[in-house]
Amino acid sequence: MILPNKHISTEFSFLGAGGELLSRLTDSETVSSLWDQVREIPSVATFERYALVLTMLYSLGAVYLEDGFLRRAEK
């Protein structure tokens, strides 16, 4: 589920959904405002999956929370 395989396409893996979230994340997004943007995307689909993908991105160091806003980590 995290990684794509022969049964799960890249789009529907957590990595694919994480890429969608990162592509839509601007400098001043709250968790709920980002959810409003991505809730209709099939690879995200549910809030539970959204929360899991955000947790994965945080664990990987790709995003962090600062003053109530989600921020992309520096490369």
Side-chain angles (χ1 to χ4, degrees), residues 3 9 28 36 47 51 55 67-68:
L3 297 173
S9 67
S28 59
D36 289 336
F47 188 80
T55 302
D67 298 326

Side-chain angles (χ1 to χ4, degrees), residues 30-41:
T30 62
V31 173
S32 59
S33 67
L34 183 60
W35 166 244
D36 289 336
Q37 290 181 31
V38 300
R39 69 185 334 155
E40 301 297 324
I41 298 172

Side-chain angles (χ1 to χ4, degrees), residues 49-70:
R49 186 169 167 85
Y50 170 73
L52 288 170
V53 172
L54 274 182
T55 302
M56 180 198 69
L57 290 173
Y58 180 80
S59 298
L60 292 172
V63 297
Y64 62 96
L65 194 62
E66 180 182 318
D67 298 326
F69 292 101
L70 281 172

